[in-house]
Amino acid sequence: MTFKDHFSKQAADYAKFRPRYPQQLFDYLGSIAPSRQLAWDCATGNGQAALGLASVFDRVIATDASERQIANGRPHGRVEYRVAPAETSGLESNSVDLIMVAQALHWFDLARFYEEVQRVLKNGGIFAASAYLLLHITPRIDRIINQDYYQRIIGPFWPPERKLVEHFKELPFPFSKVESPKFELAVQWNLEHLTGYLRSWSATQRFIAANHHDPLAEVADDLRGAWGDPAHLRQVFWPLTLRIGVNQT
């Protein structure tokens, strides 16, 4: 089975510019897992969630279908990186305490993936999927990025699966649901880091491939005017949607 690869081309930028998940999230996941022996970070990308899980679990297997993403994974003594699709992980049956899918569930063949989840999870094991959508900085900057850029300029270039992030809570979820605390991603970025993040978006890259110029140029002046000094650090945050379930076989 081939996979829809929207990120390998910009894997290095993805590793450099994507926000980190809060440590409180991983502490919480460790507290509800049946044990802390083994976690699987599925569609790990460059390993951001894998490193967080490694602070809590004895061992983390981090898989991604993209060899280039795995090549950009951050080394850690408790993390083993593997190239493998989500639907056929190669993991042993009934071996995993917790499976995490961070910002990737919408790309999977869900019926096949959930079969794999139920195969590899221990009875009572935890499945956790997270997603974040639009950032928040200031009302003016938010309008430029979330309306002018995200919707108007690159909107037609988002893969269809992106819409599933906007409706993340409606995706099939065949597990006994667990109500969780609320979490958010938060960083302090200058303007260069923000534009690096926007350039890592799959729709930005698809726009460039189709039009042979950078769509960020269309909002660059407005964004500089709203930001002020490009070196100025601003607080950027994304509310995190978290869906957690227990495997009961």
Side-chain angles (χ1 to χ4, degrees), residues 8-171:
S8 287
K9 182 179 178 181
Q10 68 270 28
D13 282 349
Y14 194 94
K16 182 177 180 181
F17 293 115
R18 290 285 168 137
R20 304 286 181 257
Y21 295 92
Q23 182 61 42
Q24 295 93 328
L25 169 63
F26 303 111
D27 293 340
Y28 169 72
L29 293 176
S31 75
I32 63 173
S35 73
R36 299 188 180 191
Q37 294 176 326
L38 177 61
W40 172 25
D41 181 27
C42 181
T44 190
N46 57 77
Q48 292 180 19
L51 296 186
L53 291 170
S55 70
V56 178
F57 288 84
D58 297 337
R59 183 179 174 218
V60 178
I61 296 176
T63 65
D64 201 284
S66 167
E67 292 184 14
R68 291 182 68 178
Q69 288 279 35
I70 290 294
N72 280 278
R74 297 173 181 236
H76 190 286
R78 294 184 180 180
V79 178
E80 177 186 347
Y81 289 101
R82 300 179 182 177
V83 178
E87 298 83 0
T88 51
S89 67
L91 296 174
E92 293 182 11
S93 298
N94 305 311
S95 64
V96 177
D97 295 296
L98 178 134
I99 297 172
M100 183 168 189
V101 180
Q103 197 73 357
L105 188 64
H106 51 292
W107 299 117
F108 299 166
D109 178 333
L110 285 181
R112 292 184 61 222
F113 174 63
Y114 285 145
E115 288 181 2
E116 184 73 347
V117 168
Q118 290 165 343
R119 182 185 71 80
V120 304
L121 266 184
K122 297 175 180 177
N123 186 33
I126 299 296
F127 175 75
S130 66
Y132 58 91
L133 188 57
L134 298 177
L135 55 77
H136 299 279
I137 305 175
T138 69
R140 183 181 174 189
I141 295 172
D142 293 354
R143 283 193 299 272
I144 295 168
I145 295 173
N146 298 338
Q147 296 179 24
D148 294 346
Y149 189 70
Y150 176 88
Q151 296 181 9
R152 179 176 61 83
I153 297 172
I154 64 170
F157 294 89
W158 284 109
E161 292 87 352
R162 177 66 182 182
K163 285 291 182 184
L164 299 180
V165 180
E166 299 173 5
H167 301 280
F168 186 68
K169 291 185 177 180
E170 300 170 21
L171 291 179

Side-chain angles (χ1 to χ4, degrees), residues 203-223:
T204 300
Q205 294 301 312
R206 286 159 65 99
F207 182 105
I208 293 170
N211 297 288
H212 308 291
H213 71 269
D214 187 348
L216 280 167
E218 299 186 30
V219 294
D221 289 344
D222 288 342
L223 200 51

